[in-house]
Amino acid sequence: MKRLSLIIALLFPLLVAAEDGSIVLHPIQSGPKAGVSWGVPFLRGEIRKDTKFILMDNNGKASPVQQWVMASWSDGSPKWIGFASVPDTLNDQLMLMPLARSEERRVAKEFAAESIKSIETESAFIIDNGLFQCTFPKTGEYVIESICYGDNPVALNGRLLLQTEDRSRWNEKILSYKDYTTNINKVTLEQNGPVRAVVKVEGDHFTDKVSTDTVLSLPFTLRFYIYYNDVAIQLTHSFLYDGNPQCDFVKGLGVHFDIPFREEVHNRHVFFSGDRYSYDTIGLWHEPVQPLVGRRVLRPSRSMEERRQDYPMKRPEDRRPEAIQRERENLRRYGLPPQGPSVYHRQMACERIADREEFDESGQALLREWAVWNDFKLTQLNCDGFSIQKRTQQASPWIYSDGGYRATGLVLAGDVSGGLAVSLKDFWQSYPVALEVSNAASRQAGMDIWMWSPEAPAMDLRHYDTIPHGLNASYEDVQEGLSTPYGIGRTHTLTLYPYNAIPSRETVMRWSERGANPPRLLCTPAYYHAKKAFGAHWSLPYNGWASDSVSAVQAGVSDTVVWLETQLDKLLAFYEQAVEDNRWYGFWNYGDVMHSYDGERHSWLYDVGGFAWDNTELAPEMWLWYSFLRTGRSDVFRMAEAMSRHTAEVDVYHAGSLKGLGSRHNVSHWGCGAKEARIAQAGWKRFYAYLTTDERMGDLMHEVTDADWTTLQWDPLRIAKPRSQFPSSAPARLRWGPDWTSFAANWFIEWERTGNKKYLDKLMTGMNCLAALPAGCFTGQGPLGYYPETGKIIYEGPEGATDHTLHLATIMGGFELFAEMLDDIDNPAFQQCWYNYCLYYSMPENDPMRTQETADWGPITSFNTPRLTAYAGWKSGDETLKARAWEEFLRGRRNPYFDITIRPLFGDLYGSTLLQPSDILHTKWEIPNVGTNGSAQWSLNAIFLMTLAK
């Protein structure tokens, strides 16, 4: 590393010159030195594509950054730039500084030696980060062949684990199991330093013993992230389920590493991390493979005089008589004074103990006879309890050792000369999970990180019932053969820590915390707002009203705003607590929330058709992300992150004929027969992808780019408005919203990410077609004709017909998309079309602004969306429209419940009540009439109205 004085001397003139362009960053997860990646937004034309940056801490210490453009504005200037760096600390705010062009080469030269080294051979990629080297084979079954410190391998033969349960003889109560092997299809070096290397591995699983009904392969995508001089490797593991849920039951899913030993069994150790007790305190379970403890004490093979010199006794006159006598007795019996560290004490401190042959005959006898423990495991089969067990051999039983509540998910295995620790993110939240170390008594142990523990019942992905439940009965859109999980996926994040000397307990705790909450650097809410991140119209909160020194009145903040902020905070707190109260955890469930609440049972409607899991219905994901952008709260970030991971993988089809579509809300995440683009659209995924630079989300956004072609096979209105009743000469049909709006989001995001003009052309074609319709976006009472090849939209319905039910167009992300997109894309015709839709969406039928031409444009009464009216007021500068937006929001158009002019009538809209047993199973907080549809939309309206209608 460079001397601090050199860095300051080099960069001081740059700091002064770049002061106005500096960007404040703050960690939402503090910690020591670690590799981290993050995204930063910029205004159109603000910087050049080749502008270089450097990262500075509070002490003036500089760290090099690696950067790449993630998205661009229409003029080609960067809209989002991804950065990667390895700052010395993540405990303080950092500053991202643009470099003057005259200094770029000089700074690059200074940091040239601090770079990842990558070598490509015919058979593998080899990555050296300055601490260790990783080898990634291009073919075969090992996704990572070795991790070495110099010539010392500390982990070998990394591969994936898959086990299935054969129930073909279920009626005979006979089960059998099949083990699958990893098969690598493609390896790509996606990024090659200088700060970070990214290795992408794609493949599938195979076995010779396949089912007669289907061939299950679970295609996977892995990414390994390696940062220069960082102690960790991050691994994202994504897989798709491509089996038949009636016969392909996954029994175990995980990752395996071989751990080679150089030391004898008593110098080998195993750690598990347990419960978190505070931010910096995590329980640790640690035992040697052969604990040096028993009836007799192991003595070093040294003379008594040598031992006396090592552990000198205090003078008799300084000791009480009984203590002197006890020490003499111990010395006589065991030959070792009680003062100072014993062999066992030093072993438990992970110090190297002499090999067996270095002990005398009595010591060697003890080492031969003390038990050697071969296998260890920590198993968490639910979110509220884990156990730790070990055994001496396969022919012996498992012995219970300890247990706890919620394990943080780290396992460490190795000897005092090296080994590996692995942490699984969201460990207990994504149960059933397990960590295992096997064959620790042999020369090479195995380490298994189970994302689905084989000790749990096998995955059962069948639909929750064999009897259909219709829309009228259960709000469930059942369609034959479509309650299928074929093509859904799941992503896990693991952190690998290779080491060449067993780390301290403090280090193991830090590793466990880092794995559970990976380091994140993010901009401030004010910066995101100023740079129009995800649109220019969301509001920053007013927090000063809670201050003792500044009142809301003094700051000029209205009572309405204070009330809104209070309700927004209460609603977020309620949903955070609801996740815990209702145990919304588990492999397939974590990240999602329920749709509707049942006040009679004091329970969410988890078992009633379309009222159960929400699956992005009415944009709760956007609500959480905009809430994070405006507050910067780490708890909101983590909730939004979990939801994005879930909705992007589990609720969406990534393979098969339904690829690019998602499943509407249901008891089973994939159970509803309505498979629609609105659930899978890239607009949901974009927040997490841009804020964190997550490449997996980038894959998933690209994956849905051509989802509009699914309309040829899966007409969105095939049930509600069949083609026989609403014919079209076009090859496909759709609604302009939420079908076309979702396709538009996919195209817009693909275009800003790649510059592929094909998708801008399709977007512009659709805009022009909608703008040309007789009544714009209100035209017709049925589907519109659609041509996937060009994006052309046509209308062939009755002349003068208008639709008063198109509320889904804007409450499934359409409003937020257009509010941002139309700031960058110049299409005056569609600008006017969209303005008209916002203006007339809820305009009263007798409003004097209406003309004969616009008399039937709206109002849409099925869902109250006052941010549309507010947008029209903002666009036109019409204060009357802004006032109407507040009236719609606070009073409601059909059920007025607040008088906006009288503060005391503002009720506690989202105040919750604590329920106690025995009326319910356990204590929980309740809002009797709560529903996620209303919660998400109310919050989004509030967030946008405070800017658009201020």
Side-chain angles (χ1 to χ4, degrees):
M1 297 297 294
K2 294 164 181 59
R3 294 189 303 275
L4 182 62
S5 58
L6 174 63
I7 295 297
I8 294 177
L10 174 66
L11 294 177
F12 181 76
L14 278 67
L15 299 181
V16 176
E19 183 177 359
D20 292 339
S22 62
I23 302 165
V24 175
L25 303 172
H26 66 96
I28 64 168
Q29 181 64 37
S30 298
K33 178 178 180 177
V36 60
S37 300
W38 70 98
V40 177
F42 296 90
L43 293 172
R44 182 170 47 220
E46 181 178 5
I47 62 169
R48 309 180 315 272
K49 281 188 175 182
D50 60 349
T51 300
K52 303 299 182 184
F53 290 80
I54 200 163
L55 192 65
M56 303 288 294
D57 66 19
N58 288 339
N59 297 317
K61 177 66 181 296
S63 300
V65 296
Q66 182 173 320
Q67 61 188 76
W68 60 100
V69 176
M70 293 193 294
S72 300
W73 292 92
S74 56
D75 65 357
S77 63
K79 186 175 187 179
W80 282 86
I81 292 182
F83 293 92
S85 188
V86 189
D88 280 351
T89 178
L90 288 172
N91 292 320
D92 302 306
Q93 77 175 27
L94 300 166
M95 197 76 71
L96 190 65
M97 313 291 297
L99 290 171
R101 299 199 77 167
S102 60
E103 296 293 337
E104 290 176 1
R105 181 177 297 179
R106 184 179 170 190
V107 171
K109 184 178 179 180
E110 289 295 324
F111 287 109
E114 301 181 12
S115 176
I116 280 185
K117 306 298 190 296
S118 302
I119 300 173
E120 181 178 4
T121 69
E122 185 176 341
S123 60
F125 289 100
I126 302 171
I127 311 296
D128 185 337
N129 82 334
L131 295 177
F132 49 77
Q133 308 82 42
C134 304
T135 301
F136 299 91
K138 295 180 178 179
T139 59
E141 66 173 301
Y142 299 130
V143 297
I144 183 167
E145 185 177 278
S146 64
I147 306 174
C148 299
Y149 268 89
D151 296 329
N152 185 23
V154 296
L156 300 169
N157 306 330
R159 60 188 183 274
L160 304 186
L161 302 171
L162 172 62
Q163 185 182 85
T164 59
E165 181 176 275
D166 187 343
R167 298 186 182 181
S168 59
R169 301 181 67 183
W170 177 270
N171 292 336
E172 302 173 61
K173 298 183 179 180
I174 296 175
L175 297 176
S176 60
Y177 302 94
K178 307 171 191 174
D179 290 316
Y180 286 64
T181 302
T182 310
N183 177 53
I184 296 174
N185 297 324
K186 184 179 180 182
V187 179
T188 308
L189 184 59
E190 287 190 323
Q191 284 195 350
N192 185 18
V195 172
R196 137 180 134 154
V198 181
V199 179
K200 181 180 180 181
V201 181
E202 299 169 90
D204 51 31
H205 303 78
F206 74 93
T207 179
D208 293 334
K209 301 176 182 179
V210 297
S211 166
T212 57
D213 299 309
T214 184
V215 177
L216 180 73
S217 67
L218 263 62
F220 64 81
T221 300
L222 310 178
R223 278 189 173 88
F224 294 86
Y225 297 85
I226 305 172
Y227 292 81
Y228 176 75
N229 210 32
D230 186 20
V231 298
I233 305 166
Q234 181 177 304
L235 166 61
T236 59
H237 172 288
S238 306
F239 81 96
L240 307 184
Y241 180 81
D242 63 344
N244 181 344
Q246 303 302 319
C247 59
D248 288 320
F249 300 92
V250 173
K251 181 63 173 172
L253 181 71
V255 180
H256 172 92
F257 296 94
D258 289 333
I259 310 298
F261 291 129
R262 292 144 295 274
E263 305 281 351
E264 295 185 356
V265 289
H266 56 270
N267 279 317
R268 303 172 191 173
H269 298 262
V270 175
F271 283 76
F272 294 118
S273 70
D275 290 298
R276 176 184 287 104
Y277 293 95
S278 65
Y279 168 73
D280 56 356
T281 304
I282 292 174
L284 294 179
W285 184 95
H286 160 234
E287 288 194 5
V289 171
Q290 185 185 39
L292 302 181
V293 62
R295 183 184 180 193
R296 301 295 182 188
V297 173
L298 182 66
R299 297 180 298 172
S301 296
R302 307 178 70 189
S303 69
M304 183 66 71
E305 184 59 33
E306 289 174 322
R307 294 199 297 276
R308 287 183 185 278
Q309 292 175 2
D310 286 345
Y311 310 106
M313 297 178 62
K314 295 184 178 180
R315 292 178 301 170
E317 57 266 29
D318 294 334
R319 304 281 299 280
R320 295 191 303 274
E322 59 271 20
I324 296 173
Q325 181 61 37
R326 185 169 59 250
E327 186 165 55
R328 287 173 178 168
E329 178 65 22
N330 286 336
L331 186 61
R332 181 188 63 79
R333 180 178 301 173
Y334 301 118
L336 187 69
Q339 302 300 316
S342 67
V343 173
Y344 180 45
H345 177 86
R346 290 191 290 115
Q347 183 196 36
M348 290 302 296
C350 297
E351 296 180 23
R352 188 183 186 280
I353 306 302
D355 290 342
R356 181 188 297 181
E357 64 182 17
E358 298 181 41
F359 289 87
D360 59 23
E361 184 177 346
S362 62
Q364 292 187 35
L366 292 175
L367 289 169
R368 284 194 301 269
E369 294 180 19
W370 277 331
V372 176
W373 298 90
N374 194 59
D375 305 318
F376 304 77
K377 64 180 177 181
L378 182 153
T379 306
Q380 178 119 32
L381 301 184
N382 60 65
C383 65
D384 290 325
F386 68 87
S387 65
I388 298 174
Q389 298 170 283
K390 64 180 187 178
R391 67 182 179 185
T392 56
Q393 54 187 318
Q394 288 190 1
S396 303
W398 288 98
I399 303 300
Y400 176 82
S401 172
D402 211 333
Y405 185 39
R406 290 172 168 175
T408 44
L410 177 139
V411 56
L412 179 150
D415 57 34
V416 294
S417 299
L420 181 70
V422 180
S423 180
L424 177 60
K425 187 179 185 295
D426 298 327
F427 185 76
W428 61 267
Q429 296 95 325
S430 300
Y431 73 88
V433 286
L435 306 169
E436 292 192 26
V437 176
S438 58
N439 298 320
S442 68
R443 297 303 300 176
Q444 184 165 279
M447 176 189 287
D448 296 336
I449 301 91
W450 291 105
M451 294 167 282
W452 186 283
S453 171
E455 296 197 16
M459 282 185 200
D460 193 339
L461 305 187
R462 294 173 293 181
H463 190 46
Y464 77 95
D465 203 348
T466 58
I467 300 171
H469 307 277
L471 281 168
N472 289 333
S474 299
Y475 199 28
E476 182 174 43
D477 194 355
V478 176
Q479 297 176 39
E480 182 66 29
L482 292 186
S483 296
T484 175
Y486 184 94
I488 67 170
R490 181 72 158 83
T491 287
H492 292 81
T493 299
L494 301 90
T495 308
L496 283 53
Y497 305 96
Y499 63 86
N500 59 0
I502 291 181
S504 66
R505 286 179 170 268
E506 289 73 20
T507 298
V508 175
M509 283 195 298
R510 287 199 302 267
W511 287 358
S512 181
E513 179 61 31
R514 175 175 173 177
N517 294 297
R520 299 288 185 199
L521 271 182
L522 294 158
C523 305
T524 64
Y527 181 86
Y528 289 132
H529 188 265
K531 302 306 177 181
K532 302 182 180 180
F534 309 107
H537 305 299
W538 52 273
S539 61
L540 288 170
Y542 176 72
N543 295 320
W545 61 270
S547 169
D548 293 335
S549 60
V550 180
S551 69
V553 174
Q554 290 172 324
V557 178
S558 71
D559 285 351
T560 301
V561 171
V562 174
W563 177 78
L564 288 173
E565 295 291 357
T566 302
Q567 300 306 309
L568 286 168
D569 285 345
K570 286 186 175 183
L571 194 53
L572 285 170
F574 172 76
Y575 270 84
E576 281 190 282
Q577 187 62 40
V579 173
E580 173 64 11
D581 285 349
N582 298 280
R583 299 302 195 268
W584 289 336
Y585 303 118
F587 186 98
W588 292 112
N589 297 334
Y590 181 57
D592 206 350
V593 297
M594 288 282 172
H595 185 284
S596 298
Y597 192 75
D598 179 359
E600 292 298 322
R601 281 192 286 177
H602 305 294
S603 168
W604 292 78
L605 289 167
Y606 70 96
D607 59 348
V608 182
F611 291 110
W613 292 113
D614 194 70
N615 286 28
T616 77
E617 185 75 356
L618 270 60
E621 198 166 343
M622 280 188 164
W623 160 38
L624 293 180
W625 280 120
Y626 280 115
S627 295
F628 166 73
L629 287 171
R630 66 197 304 267
T631 65
R633 286 170 47 180
S634 59
D635 58 333
V636 178
F637 178 92
R638 292 191 185 100
M639 190 173 180
E641 175 186 35
M643 184 173 287
S644 287
R645 280 292 191 210
H646 170 88
T647 59
E649 300 278 10
V650 180
D651 300 340
V652 174
Y653 292 101
H654 312 277
S657 65
L658 295 170
K659 181 179 178 180
L661 303 180
S663 295
R664 181 177 165 272
H665 40 100
N666 196 250
V667 173
S668 303
H669 292 286
W670 47 86
C672 186
K675 310 299 184 183
E676 299 195 17
R678 61 185 169 114
I679 298 109
Q681 63 172 299
W684 309 133
K685 309 171 180 69
R686 184 165 168 252
F687 296 88
Y688 188 66
Y690 287 176
L691 289 169
T692 69
T693 79
D694 186 81
E695 279 79 9
R696 175 59 180 171
M697 283 295 177
D699 288 349
L700 299 178
M701 291 193 297
H702 175 71
E703 178 182 270
V704 298
T705 303
D706 294 318
D708 58 315
W709 286 88
T710 62
T711 55
L712 294 173
Q713 181 176 357
W714 303 106
D715 186 324
L717 291 165
R718 60 190 178 277
I719 303 297
K721 296 183 177 181
R723 189 180 277 264
S724 59
Q725 298 177 25
F726 296 86
S728 174
S729 61
R733 304 183 311 156
L734 50 62
R735 298 159 292 187
W736 83 268
D739 305 319
W740 182 83
T741 56
S742 300
F743 301 147
N746 299 341
W747 300 331
F748 175 66
I749 293 168
E750 180 72 7
W751 170 64
E752 72 175 6
R753 292 181 69 224
T754 68
N756 190 333
K757 194 172 180 297
K758 166 186 174 182
Y759 296 103
L760 176 62
D761 291 342
K762 289 186 80 167
L763 183 58
M764 295 293 277
T765 297
M767 287 180 171
N768 293 333
C769 291
L770 289 172
L773 294 177
C777 293
F778 294 104
T779 301
Q781 294 179 343
L784 300 169
Y786 180 65
Y787 294 83
E789 182 70 37
T790 62
K792 181 181 177 182
I793 297 171
I794 63 172
Y795 174 67
E796 299 172 297
E799 185 177 349
T802 57
D803 197 327
H804 300 267
T805 63
L806 286 174
H807 59 288
L808 287 176
T810 54
I811 59 179
M812 290 296 295
F815 170 81
E816 292 75 16
L817 168 70
F818 292 136
E820 176 182 359
M821 186 172 67
L822 294 179
D823 280 348
D824 191 33
I825 294 179
D826 184 21
N827 190 316
F830 187 76
Q831 286 269 10
Q832 184 63 46
C833 179
W834 172 244
Y835 171 77
N836 288 340
Y837 183 78
C838 294
L839 177 64
Y840 293 104
Y841 179 91
S842 56
M843 180 182 287
E845 294 176 344
N846 61 352
D847 192 288
M849 287 185 67
R850 288 189 177 276
T851 65
Q852 184 175 359
E853 179 187 7
T854 63
D856 291 331
W857 293 13
I860 294 177
T861 58
S862 48
F863 220 95
N864 189 19
T865 313
R867 59 189 185 277
L868 296 175
T869 306
Y871 181 87
W874 169 83
K875 189 73 174 176
S876 64
D878 189 329
E879 297 300 321
T880 302
L881 288 175
K882 294 179 182 180
R884 177 157 68 85
W886 281 112
E887 180 84 2
E888 292 171 4
F889 180 54
L890 297 173
R891 285 179 175 268
R893 292 198 307 274
R894 291 169 293 175
N895 298 304
Y897 35 82
F898 295 118
D899 184 338
I900 64 173
T901 63
I902 305 176
R903 175 65 181 89
L905 292 183
F906 275 63
D908 193 7
L909 190 60
Y910 289 114
S912 54
T913 303
L914 182 62
L915 303 178
Q916 302 279 3
S918 64
D919 289 338
I920 56 174
L921 181 63
H922 53 78
T923 58
K924 68 190 303 185
W925 292 90
E926 178 182 74
I927 301 175
N929 298 314
V930 72
T932 302
N933 279 3
S935 298
Q937 286 298 303
W938 188 92
S939 298
L940 287 169
N941 280 320
I943 289 169
F944 280 90
L945 257 68
M946 283 190 280
T947 291
L948 291 170
K950 64 181 179 180

